Amino acid sequence: MTQKRKITVAKGDGIGPEIMDATLSILEAAGAQLEYDFIEIGEKQYLNGYTSGISPEAWDTLRANKIFLKAPITTPQGKGYKSLNVTIRKSLGLFANVRPCKSHAPFIDSKHPLMDCVIVRENEEDLYAGIEHRQTTEVFQCLKLVSIPGTQKIIRYAFEYAKSFGRKKVTCMVKDNIMKLTDGLYSTVFREISQEYPGIESELKIIDIGSALLADHPEKFDVIVTLNLYGDIISDIAAQITGSVGLGGSSNIGTDFAMFEAVHGSAPDIAGQNMANPSGLLDAAFMMLLHLGQFEPAQKISNAWRKTIEEGIHTGDIYNKQTSSRKVGTKEFAQAVIDRLGQEPQSFSTLVLDKEAFKPIHIPEYQYQAQSKTLVGVDIFVDDPKLSADELGQKLSELASPDMRLKMITNRGVKVYPDGLPETFCTDHWRCRFVSAESGKDVNAMKEISREAVPGLMSRLLKNEVDVIKTENLYYFEGQLGFSLGQGE
Ligand code: NAD
């Protein structure tokens, strides 16, 4: 007999305990080789004073077992509470969020009966770094951070996932026509890594038209890989158009740790009433069994669930007179699945897992490769509500000399000096680009400046009452521009 694998389980809040009990009863009946360490997370722990909703002891359990099956939790209203999910994802390095979105038509209503795609969302970077600042009276900033190791890991994971699960195509969605450096890194890495997977079709799409196509023709997509924010949005769209957000599970995968949960929340409106659909959490548990290599119970559960659904045994959220035969509660639904373990669906296809194809996904360790960088200028951000673009431009040009020169000023990204348009609306937030006095117009051939040139310039500005709010150095990396150009530069 296989040794039982110990995992951490949290029953969560709201409908969490009901759907977790239902899921564990099915896992047990299907012969999953699991042992559980239960931890308490969520509302009670937030109110106990743990700002992330989890106690230090629960952390120890999570870290020891490495695999976490989590029911939804309720985040209390009010300031000062941190998202438990974000804390867990970041602390345990769960870089990939994987969400399969499949229709179960005709038994569960969907406008897109053929839809069967998987969203692979980067989980740790992008605008979700949560680094925000208010810089002037009028302007607020959120930093979008994208790294080479983070991008390589998620894109390689998407291709490896496609390989393991027999998927045919990977689509990368970005906005690299606007964010040429950050989203541009995604498209560059995607093009490079896709070369290593000649058996898998690859395509790049701009996120706006890509999302529109996903909402209209989801059956055209297979695996989609994208950045954190876009992935957050499109994975909810995709889950919703399968027919119900209540049916899907998701996994959060890291190098050593993994967390599995339903897509939906704690549904306090129906908690404690034996009404909740446990299918989302069961789907997460199914993904966990595959991750652990327990294929037999995984296959049994999937087939029994399909049989239950096609027989029309449905919880209230998916009940429909045309396609349902019986409306059941959470417990009765779980029992119906248990009663069908070992049976095969008639209308849905039977799931047969190819154990050989499921090689554990291994992402090679990232090797840091230093690139030479050359300092060629500095963007100095200035708070000024009074001066016009021309007045500020003239003042800063005088203060720049003798070693530096003011190349341009932009306001919210648009060039307003020199030769700005009077129609451009300006806020109190100015980005002022300084380069070496010897640099000409060619942005690819700017002269190097010394490190001391930047604090020297800053001190001249400060002495002349210029309100400097931040600086960004301008570098060439191996001769390539490490900064974007202003609109109109
Ligand atoms: P929700 O997903 O809990 O509920 C939205 C609607 O869907 C409700 O009408 C609910 O009754 C229904 N629903 C959800 N799951 C269902 C199921 N399994 N069976 C039948 N019906 C179901 O979203 P919400 O109401 O916006 O959030 C409630 C709480 O959940 C909030 O505190 C939120 O912060 C939290 N939440 C937690 C997670 C998580 O732990 N991963 C995710 C999302 C929301």
Side-chain angles (χ1 to χ4, degrees):
M1 185 157 145
T2 351
Q3 217 196 342
K4 290 196 171 182
R5 174 70 161 85
K6 193 179 260 186
I7 64 165
T8 305
V9 172
K11 293 194 175 185
D13 299 315
I15 57 170
E18 300 158 64
I19 58 173
M20 184 58 86
D21 287 343
T23 299
L24 296 184
S25 68
I26 297 169
L27 285 171
E28 175 79 25
Q33 297 300 304
L34 298 168
E35 278 177 349
Y36 310 121
D37 267 341
F38 290 95
I39 59 168
E40 208 171 289
I41 54 164
E43 200 171 19
K44 245 196 228 155
Q45 298 296 52
Y46 279 113
L47 300 176
N48 278 341
Y50 298 112
T51 52
S52 295
I54 181 167
S55 68
E57 299 75 40
W59 262 121
D60 292 343
T61 310
L62 272 184
R63 293 183 57 220
N65 293 332
K66 295 190 164 58
I67 300 291
F68 184 24
L69 182 62
K70 172 181 168 287
I73 59 156
T74 303
T75 313
Q77 298 289 317
K79 286 194 172 168
Y81 299 117
K82 284 195 212 152
S83 157
L84 174 62
N85 267 18
V86 175
T87 307
I88 292 177
R89 283 173 194 163
K90 291 205 165 182
S91 309
L92 300 182
L94 307 180
F95 66 86
N97 179 273
V98 183
R99 198 187 275 192
C101 299
K102 184 173 171 14
S103 296
H104 304 284
F107 303 101
I108 299 173
D109 257 357
S110 167
K111 290 185 192 116
H112 304 286
L114 301 177
M115 168 174 193
D116 180 7
C117 68
V118 181
I119 315 282
V120 177
R121 161 189 168 195
E122 199 288 318
N123 230 355
E124 296 180 289
E125 304 193 336
D126 190 11
L127 289 156
Y128 287 49
I131 307 176
E132 295 188 292
H133 297 94
R134 182 174 183 173
Q135 297 182 318
T136 66
T137 300
E138 291 179 333
V139 174
F140 300 70
Q141 172 189 269
C142 176
L143 274 189
K144 170 160 171 154
L145 292 177
V146 175
S147 74
I148 292 177
T151 307
Q152 286 181 349
K153 254 196 298 196
I154 194 70
I155 288 178
R156 191 169 290 286
Y157 184 85
F159 278 100
E160 285 293 323
Y161 180 94
K163 206 165 101 182
S164 259
F165 286 80
R167 299 227 166 222
K168 306 277 180 284
K169 182 168 83 171
V170 180
T171 305
C172 179
M173 292 207 195
V174 289
K175 188 81 184 168
D176 60 348
N177 52 336
I178 302 293
M179 283 159 280
K180 297 193 166 75
L181 259 66
T182 47
D183 286 34
L185 177 64
Y186 261 69
S187 27
T188 306
V189 171
F190 183 75
R191 281 193 195 95
E192 280 167 14
I193 290 184
S194 64
Q195 303 295 315
E196 297 173 36
Y197 298 86
I200 299 171
E201 191 189 336
S202 62
E203 67 176 359
L204 267 161
K205 285 225 179 294
I206 300 290
I207 184 72
D208 39 27
I209 188 64
S211 318
L213 274 175
L214 176 66
D216 206 20
H217 287 290
E219 68 285 354
K220 293 197 169 151
F221 292 91
D222 200 343
V223 175
I224 299 174
V225 62
T226 189
L227 291 86
N228 205 343
L229 176 63
Y230 311 144
D232 196 1
I233 298 168
I234 65 167
S235 60
D236 266 17
I237 297 175
Q240 178 69 35
I241 61 177
T242 59
S244 167
V245 182
L247 294 175
S250 78
S251 60
N252 291 274
I253 307 286
T255 310
D256 299 315
F257 295 89
M259 172 171 85
F260 301 85
E261 62 177 343
V263 165
H264 60 76
S266 58
D269 52 335
I270 56 164
Q273 298 173 47
N274 191 39
M275 280 170 70
N277 188 343
S279 299
L281 188 60
L282 186 63
D283 190 37
F286 165 77
M287 293 164 85
M288 177 182 75
L289 290 176
L290 294 184
H291 184 82
L292 294 173
Q294 296 195 20
F295 299 110
E296 223 175 288
Q299 190 167 302
K300 263 179 151 175
I301 289 173
S302 178
N303 288 326
W305 182 84
R306 289 168 201 225
K307 180 124 179 60
T308 308
I309 293 293
E310 68 175 25
E311 283 186 24
I313 302 169
H314 295 166
T315 44
D317 56 314
I318 53 169
Y319 182 82
N320 170 332
K321 275 191 189 138
Q322 270 86 49
T323 51
S324 308
S325 59
R326 193 146 57 97
K327 192 196 252 183
V328 291
T330 315
K331 284 184 190 153
E332 296 72 28
F333 183 83
Q335 191 54 50
V337 175
I338 291 171
D339 293 343
R340 284 156 186 78
L341 287 168
Q343 298 181 28
E344 290 183 357
Q346 304 299 308
S347 302
F348 283 134
S349 57
T350 301
L351 179 75
V352 183
L353 292 170
D354 175 2
K355 294 176 199 169
E356 289 311 304
F358 278 99
K359 303 265 179 312
I361 295 179
H362 171 71
I363 305 295
E365 213 166 285
Y366 170 74
Q367 299 294 330
Y368 179 76
Q369 280 179 304
Q371 296 201 355
S372 69
K373 60 180 192 183
T374 313
L375 185 64
V376 294
V378 62
D379 278 350
I380 297 189
F381 292 74
V382 168
D383 178 351
D384 194 315
K386 294 200 188 88
L387 296 183
S388 68
D390 280 341
E391 287 165 343
L392 185 64
Q394 276 151 26
K395 180 174 175 180
L396 297 184
S397 291
E398 283 163 26
L399 296 172
S401 62
D403 52 335
M404 303 280 275
R405 148 174 107 74
L406 177 68
K407 185 159 190 280
M408 64 157 186
I409 301 178
T410 65
N411 198 292
R412 294 185 302 167
V414 181
K415 193 179 91 171
V416 291
Y417 178 87
D419 309 323
L421 296 175
E423 292 83 7
T424 307
F425 176 78
C426 289
T427 66
D428 56 4
H429 182 273
W430 308 88
R431 187 266 300 263
C432 310
R433 176 159 289 179
F434 295 89
V435 297
S436 160
E438 292 162 22
S439 286
K441 279 198 172 153
D442 185 352
V443 285
N444 294 302
M446 299 207 294
K447 301 280 184 250
E448 185 167 6
I449 61 168
S450 71
R451 294 207 151 265
E452 293 71 33
V454 175
L457 172 63
M458 289 262 290
S459 112
R460 292 201 290 284
L461 298 185
L462 293 171
K463 272 187 203 141
N464 285 276
E465 286 169 7
V466 177
D467 185 0
V468 172
I469 49 176
K470 96 169 199 160
T471 65
E472 288 284 353
N473 286 348
L474 307 180
Y475 292 110
Y476 288 160
F477 284 84
E478 309 274 330
Q480 302 286 320
L481 289 199
F483 49 91
S484 59
L485 301 180
Q487 289 161 12
E489 185 177 356

